[in-house]
Amino acid sequence: MDTIFSSRLDSIEKALDKALPVKVNSLWKKDSFGDIPDEVKDVYLHCLTEPCKNLMNLGGKRWRPLLLILCAENARTVHAGTALLSPEDTYLLTPLVEFVHTASLIHDDIEDSSDTRRGKPAAYITYGLDTALNAASWLYFETPVCIDTLDISPDAKKKLYALYAKEVRTLHLGQAMDIHWHRQNDLFPSVEEYTAMVKNKTGTLASLAAQAGVLAGGGTDNEAERAGRTAAEIGEGFQELDDVQNLTTGNPGKKRGDDIAEGKKSLPVLLHIKDHPEDKQLIASYFEQAHREGIESAAVEQCIGLLTKSGAVSGAFAHGKKLVEEKSRELADMYKTTETSGEGARIISLFTTMLEKQKI
């Protein structure tokens, strides 16, 4: 992905750095806070920016902001004359998804009591619970400053604001569902409930990226909504693949099987329960033991072994991969481009490259 999209990724990083600089400057302070007293020193502002910026600098795929750019390019193939933003200015919208993603990761680690993120101590461990919680909450509100600073009409800004607010509310709804389940080891939702949760929690940022991109490229409201629904299913597919990776190679910067220690009702768990309901109490006991003893508990590997032997892990992998493949083609074909040429092909290339890195 880095080779194919290197220039776009470079432009995304520049836009993110401008919206959240390492060292705050007067223009940034004015855009973010308006007029503030001289007594508000930069050290206080750094209590907000540093935990967020540090996590962003640790990496991340940046596929969501890249999806925003590619959807805008795809929409311009039909709506170039009425595009909301120029190709260059579209990059200014990319914090809309990457900043929310960053804030949600900081909060996720607090809510899940996770020790690490991207191979380093979680933000709440490095900076303290109070600072990390406050900084991540602030970032949700800082994010739409990128809309404020765009040179577009008030009505266009209002539309983007409404879209942003709705998707962030939806993200928190999905998180509420996930928390409700993993706080009770013996509560197992249906696969359908899981799908609804993931579309809300993980799919919503893909939806936001696609919708914002289509609108930036001049697409209609109906086209944006269609792109959002399709992208949400792509996000769902990648969450299912992440569920599998957690139980196989381990997610980057995380320990293999930490979903078991956190009591996460991931897709492999729910597929196994669907076929083997008699194992509910056994899996609940694995969750309880792993939570009590930590990630090194024997219960982690015992649970992974059970899910692997039943075919639940491979079944979840196959479903997630198929979903990403089918929905990425659907999104690419919105403007009738082909797989081998045109802007839509880049959307397919993005997700094909990402899928190549997914293994059982």
Side-chain angles (χ1 to χ4, degrees):
M1 184 170 71
D2 293 347
T3 301
I4 300 171
F5 299 111
S6 58
S7 65
R8 292 174 179 83
L9 289 168
D10 287 344
S11 295
I12 287 169
E13 291 304 318
K14 290 176 182 176
L16 297 178
D17 286 341
K18 180 180 179 181
L20 189 63
V22 174
K23 289 188 65 176
V24 299
N25 55 67
S26 58
L27 178 59
W28 179 86
K29 286 190 280 188
K30 182 74 172 179
D31 288 340
S32 297
F33 300 100
D35 294 321
I36 55 177
D38 293 338
E39 290 76 15
V40 180
K41 306 300 183 184
D42 287 355
V43 65
Y44 305 130
L45 298 173
H46 290 157
C47 291
L48 296 174
T49 61
E50 189 177 329
C52 305
K53 190 67 176 180
N54 182 59
L55 178 54
M56 289 176 59
N57 286 343
L58 289 177
K61 303 181 184 74
R62 304 288 196 260
W63 70 265
R64 296 168 186 85
L66 183 53
L67 177 61
L68 188 155
I69 297 300
L70 296 180
C71 285
E73 292 175 356
N74 206 18
R76 284 193 197 97
T77 61
V78 173
H79 300 290
T82 57
L84 180 63
L85 294 171
S86 68
E88 295 75 21
D89 285 351
T90 301
Y91 284 95
L92 301 177
L93 263 185
T94 55
L96 209 59
V97 287
E98 194 62 29
F99 284 6
V100 175
H101 179 53
T102 300
S104 71
L105 294 181
I106 294 174
H107 279 170
D108 270 357
D109 289 340
I110 294 170
E111 292 160 355
D112 296 341
S113 299
S114 297
D115 293 335
T116 60
R117 174 65 65 176
R118 294 173 178 166
K120 299 292 183 180
Y124 76 95
I125 293 176
T126 300
Y127 297 98
L129 177 61
D130 47 3
T131 296
L133 185 62
N134 190 55
S137 297
W138 164 79
L139 191 57
Y140 284 122
F141 297 102
E142 176 68 16
T143 295
V145 171
C146 70
I147 300 174
D148 288 336
T149 55
L150 291 174
D151 185 18
I152 56 177
S153 71
D155 284 345
K157 289 184 179 182
K158 181 179 178 181
K159 182 181 293 187
L160 289 171
Y161 262 114
L163 170 63
Y164 170 77
K166 177 175 69 69
E167 296 296 344
V168 172
R169 291 194 299 269
T170 302
L171 183 152
H172 283 77
L173 172 59
Q175 182 71 341
M177 296 171 71
D178 196 19
I179 291 171
H180 180 72
W181 298 337
H182 79 239
R183 286 173 67 90
Q184 304 177 69
N185 287 332
D186 58 353
L187 175 59
F188 294 92
S190 67
V191 172
E192 291 75 19
E193 286 177 296
Y194 166 91
T195 296
M197 180 276 289
V198 172
K199 283 182 181 177
N200 288 339
K201 179 182 175 180
T202 308
T204 191
L205 287 184
S207 173
L208 176 58
Q211 291 185 74
V214 167
L215 292 174
T220 66
D221 291 350
N222 286 339
E223 289 168 354
E225 290 173 7
R226 176 185 166 192
R229 288 193 299 271
T230 304
E233 293 189 84
I234 295 173
E236 177 194 342
F238 276 117
Q239 181 58 62
E240 293 172 3
L241 293 174
D242 280 351
D243 287 353
V244 170
Q245 189 172 8
N246 185 276
L247 303 178
T248 52
T249 60
N251 301 115
K254 292 280 190 176
K255 295 178 180 177
R256 166 182 154 109
D258 66 352
D259 277 357
I260 304 299
E262 292 169 11
K264 288 293 183 74
K265 310 303 164 53
S266 64
L267 185 59
V269 169
L270 299 180
L271 290 178
H272 180 93
I273 292 295
K274 185 177 180 179
D275 291 338
H276 303 279
E278 70 277 7
D279 285 342
K280 279 185 179 181
Q281 287 307 119
L282 175 60
I283 293 178
S285 70
Y286 286 147
F287 284 163
E288 192 280 328
Q289 181 181 344
H291 179 74
R292 186 178 68 253
E293 298 175 351
I295 190 63
E296 303 302 329
S297 171
V300 172
E301 291 302 325
Q302 289 169 347
C303 190
I304 291 174
L306 180 69
L307 302 177
T308 302
K309 184 177 180 180
S310 72
V313 172
S314 58
F317 182 84
H319 186 271
K321 187 171 184 286
K322 181 180 179 182
L323 197 56
V324 174
E325 289 173 339
E326 290 181 350
K327 294 303 173 177
S328 60
R329 281 181 167 78
E330 185 177 321
L331 185 60
D333 287 343
M334 272 190 59
Y335 296 103
K336 306 302 182 185
T337 54
T338 67
E339 183 175 343
T340 56
S341 64
E343 282 73 7
R346 296 192 185 101
I347 294 175
I348 295 173
S349 294
L350 166 63
F351 294 119
T352 298
T353 303
M354 292 176 67
L355 284 176
E356 288 173 350
K357 299 177 181 179
Q358 298 284 342
K359 301 182 186 300
I360 290 187

